[in-house]
Amino acid sequence: MDSSLYKDTTVSRGFTYHYFHSPAAPGQLTLLFIHGFPSSSHDWRRQVAYFRPKGYGVLVPDIIGAGGTSKPDSADAFRFSLIARDLVDVLDAEGLQTVVGIGHDWGSVVLSRLANLYSERFHAFAWLALSYVPPTWQTSGLANADAKNTQFVYWEYLSRDTAYVMCEQNLDSFLHLTYPETPDHWYESLSPPGKTQAWIESDRRPGLPEWLSQEEYDVARETLAKAGLKSALNYYKAMVNGVNTQDDESIPEEAHKIQKPALFIASARDSVCTAAGGKTVMAQYAPHATIIELNVGHWPHLEETGRVNLELDKWLDTLNLREL
């Protein structure tokens, strides 16, 4: 991604956001790509390379805690409603009134809160791997009330105050688990109790997946090494400690359902953000959504880049909004 197209802006709560922005050609839509953990805007590089030459505007921020954006220590700063407000401030800084939102991983949750709180700023929403996450997400089919009995058990380890130290000391091991050589590693070594800690503390490094080149890995590693993990792990602290509960409960019930066009690209081999759970949620909250299921793990936009780009492009064509 062209470094000359990165900018910085200060949002209303005082944090600096670092973001890539390439303006749209006349009559074209702008796409807002929201990454997850432990990513940065760089994770959307293949989508930028595809959509930018087609004339789409692309806005790709480093989300709070990542890349060149501010890295607060407080879990309270990672409330999804506040991050959503931050991104609206970024849209305002670029004079963008309405965009198409595309999210992955924690970025999918941020996009969900944008849909709940700022729907008027969006033409449509697309979720990858992790579906729309309603404010009532723990009873929605994505997870049950006791996180220790779900695929999210590894949150307990990542939310520990000292987790970042071990993860940074064994950064390659951490990244080999994050971007697994095979999705089976997540079934075996991420979700089962104690397995994430065992993987990282044993400095296990089985190798890179075929869909991630050494050059791409090196950029991701360098970006994460520079940013550190202490701040970004607050996503997990915030969830484990219920920091978002009050904000979520304040969202009116009528705002829980998605009224705008929607797309969900599900990952059949993702053991955490399961395709079945995501499709259940979409059926309840966005029954009109287009759903595509791919035989991939957690990173569809990297594992099946060509297919994901094509499906996104086809879906965007159905919106018939290019002349707005």
Side-chain angles (χ1 to χ4, degrees), residues 2-323:
D2 187 345
S3 60
S4 69
L5 295 179
Y6 273 88
K7 297 181 179 181
D8 295 285
T9 193
T10 301
V11 299
S12 54
R13 57 179 176 143
F15 295 131
T16 297
Y17 267 69
H18 188 62
Y19 61 95
F20 177 96
H21 182 222
S22 176
Q28 280 282 29
L29 300 169
T30 292
L31 313 179
L32 169 66
F33 290 98
I34 312 173
H35 70 80
F37 174 88
S39 310
S40 70
S41 54
H42 182 252
D43 261 20
W44 293 111
R45 60 197 174 275
R46 300 178 188 176
Q47 284 63 55
V48 171
Y50 178 87
F51 286 104
R52 189 180 169 216
K54 288 177 169 285
Y56 286 95
V58 286
L59 178 62
V60 195
D62 288 335
I63 300 303
I64 190 169
T69 291
S70 293
K71 300 169 185 66
D73 288 334
S74 169
D76 189 70
F78 285 76
R79 288 157 51 193
F80 292 117
S81 63
L82 299 182
I83 301 172
R85 176 68 250 181
D86 292 344
L87 293 186
V88 171
D89 289 343
V90 174
L91 295 181
D92 288 344
E94 290 299 330
L96 295 168
Q97 184 59 37
T98 319
V99 299
V100 174
I102 302 167
H104 171 254
D105 191 79
W106 288 124
S108 288
V109 191
V110 175
L111 183 63
S112 300
R113 293 302 161 269
L114 283 162
N116 299 142
L117 300 170
Y118 304 101
S119 181
E120 74 281 0
R121 303 297 298 266
F122 291 84
H123 294 300
F125 304 95
W127 287 273
L128 277 62
L130 179 58
S131 69
Y132 167 66
V133 179
T136 55
W137 81 280
Q138 286 195 323
T139 56
S140 68
L142 284 172
N144 57 41
D146 183 358
K148 293 185 181 299
N149 292 327
T150 76
Q151 65 268 36
F152 304 104
V153 67
Y154 67 95
W155 288 6
E156 187 277 328
Y157 173 69
L158 294 182
S159 65
R160 296 179 191 175
D161 288 340
T162 58
Y164 78 95
V165 177
M166 186 58 66
C167 291
E168 289 178 359
Q169 287 177 353
N170 298 323
L171 190 58
D172 287 298
S173 178
F174 172 78
L175 285 170
H176 281 218
L177 180 58
T178 302
Y179 299 101
E181 181 185 29
T182 167
D184 292 342
H185 287 325
W186 277 27
Y187 288 95
E188 301 161 357
S189 300
L190 182 67
S191 296
K195 293 296 187 178
T196 298
Q197 181 176 359
W199 175 295
I200 293 169
E201 293 185 358
S202 65
D203 200 21
R204 186 177 173 188
R205 307 183 211 176
L208 299 180
E210 62 180 11
W211 44 265
L212 188 66
S213 72
Q214 185 65 50
E215 181 180 2
E216 291 175 313
Y217 175 82
D218 290 343
V219 173
R221 189 190 191 285
E222 180 182 0
T223 301
L224 189 58
K226 184 176 180 180
L229 282 162
K230 184 178 181 181
S231 178
L233 284 173
N234 277 301
Y235 282 110
Y236 298 95
K237 288 185 179 182
M239 293 302 294
V240 169
N241 295 325
V243 168
N244 289 286
T245 301
Q246 185 173 351
D247 289 347
D248 286 354
E249 290 177 348
S250 70
I251 296 173
E253 188 172 349
E254 58 268 24
H256 289 197
K257 292 199 172 184
I258 303 302
Q259 305 297 333
K260 300 290 180 71
L263 170 69
F264 173 42
I265 298 181
S267 298
R269 300 180 68 192
D270 188 337
S271 64
V272 174
C273 304
T274 66
K279 288 189 286 186
T280 296
V281 171
M282 298 304 288
Q284 181 176 353
Y285 292 94
H288 60 286
T290 299
I291 296 180
I292 306 294
E293 184 170 346
L294 303 181
N295 188 33
V296 297
H298 184 64
W299 306 91
H301 52 305
L302 299 177
E303 296 180 51
E304 287 284 355
T305 300
R307 178 74 185 279
V308 167
N309 289 347
L310 179 62
E311 294 294 348
L312 282 170
D313 204 7
K314 287 166 53 180
W315 173 70
L316 290 167
D317 274 337
T318 69
L319 302 180
N320 295 319
L321 292 170
R322 281 192 166 90
E323 297 305 318

